Amino acid sequence: MLKIDYSELLEKLEILFPNAGCELIYHNIYELTVAVMISAQTTDKKVNTVTPELFRKYPDISSLSKANIMEVEQIIKPIGLAKTKASNMIKFAKMVINEFNGNIPSTLEELTTLPGIGRKTANVVLSEGYKIQRIAVDTHVERTSKRLNLSNIDSSVLQVEKDLMDYFPHEKWHRAHHLLLFFGRYMCKSQNPDCINCPFKQHCIKQKSV
């Protein structure tokens, strides 16, 4: 199966999702990092329902580092995994204070040393927060990349990231991430994808297997 040209892919995705972008509501790098951290296994919309109260009570890294874990748990309880997320948030804040002088680091290597921050979260912080070209591979990006034959079906998340970085020009990484994410979130869903309206049928391994 021929791989679609990246420019054609991005052009068609731009038509489908011209407003693709970060759906988390944040005002600074601290809020962005925390919001991405707690977005695991939930939706951005749900995260946005708890962050106003969370950031009202803990407006900066210093206040979060001194937070009572039970109070944090109560605020973020509606999004699930509250105990683990609250623990990681406070540990994260303390480590940023103690090891990075209160400044959230801007390198992948340093970010991934922090509690609650894996490679995907770090890439979002770098790309969205620090405007450094990266491709964050979440479940939507991984699924769509494999269905569109941009990466092998059995590739690891890290391999998918590398394949996408090779496929797209460096200056397109940030935009490609958002477009593939929206494509996976709103059209090429895990269950019941909207294949009828999809412009990439001839490139989709899912269609070829039907």
Side-chain angles (χ1 to χ4, degrees):
M1 187 191 314
L2 289 176
K3 185 182 295 185
I4 187 173
D5 181 77
Y6 83 85
S7 58
E8 180 185 352
L9 174 61
L10 292 180
E11 182 181 350
K12 290 182 176 180
L13 287 175
E14 287 284 7
I15 293 171
L16 288 170
F17 307 107
N19 298 315
C22 183
E23 293 187 298
L24 292 169
I25 297 173
Y26 69 95
H27 303 92
N28 51 55
I29 197 72
Y30 158 70
E31 292 187 2
L32 171 66
T33 306
V34 171
V36 178
M37 285 175 61
I38 64 176
S39 67
Q41 297 185 41
T42 188
T43 65
D44 289 356
K45 289 181 180 179
K46 287 184 179 179
V47 171
N48 290 337
T49 66
V50 302
T51 48
E53 173 63 14
L54 182 68
F55 296 141
R56 184 195 66 77
K57 192 157 189 176
Y58 310 106
D60 50 39
I61 201 81
S62 178
S63 55
L64 182 60
S65 71
K66 302 167 187 173
N68 178 287
I69 188 170
M70 297 296 289
E71 293 178 352
V72 175
E73 282 182 35
Q74 191 60 35
I75 294 172
I76 66 172
K77 186 177 180 180
I79 64 173
L81 303 175
K83 192 174 188 66
T84 299
K85 291 178 180 180
S87 175
N88 281 337
M89 286 165 57
I90 296 172
K91 290 176 182 177
F92 150 81
K94 288 180 177 178
M95 189 169 174
V96 170
I97 294 290
N98 295 330
E99 299 193 22
F100 297 101
N101 298 314
N103 299 309
I104 295 173
S106 58
T107 69
L108 181 70
E109 293 74 21
E110 290 176 320
L111 279 168
T112 50
T113 67
L114 295 168
I117 296 188
R119 190 177 182 93
K120 187 268 290 186
T121 296
N123 278 333
V124 173
V125 172
L126 292 173
S127 180
E128 182 70 22
Y130 286 114
K131 309 307 177 185
I132 297 170
Q133 291 288 347
R134 299 292 306 180
I135 295 182
V137 180
D138 65 358
T139 57
H140 300 300
V141 174
E142 179 183 7
R143 179 175 65 256
T144 55
S145 298
K146 291 180 177 180
R147 285 182 177 175
L148 293 177
N149 197 34
L150 306 183
S151 190
N152 291 331
I153 192 67
D154 57 351
S155 292
S156 66
V157 172
L158 179 58
Q159 185 59 53
V160 172
E161 181 185 329
K162 291 179 178 178
D163 289 341
L164 293 178
M165 290 166 71
D166 288 338
Y167 175 69
F168 292 108
H170 178 264
E171 68 273 13
K172 302 291 186 182
W173 288 356
H174 174 78
R175 189 58 184 157
H177 156 70
H178 282 306
L179 288 169
L180 286 174
L181 188 153
F182 265 54
F183 179 54
R185 182 177 287 169
Y186 297 112
M187 177 171 278
C188 190
K189 300 176 183 180
S190 177
Q191 302 294 324
N192 301 315
D194 185 11
C195 298
I196 294 176
N197 295 308
C198 178
F200 309 116
K201 295 184 184 71
Q202 70 271 34
H203 301 285
C204 179
I205 64 170
K206 182 177 176 63
Q207 289 296 304
K208 294 295 182 180
S209 64
V210 174

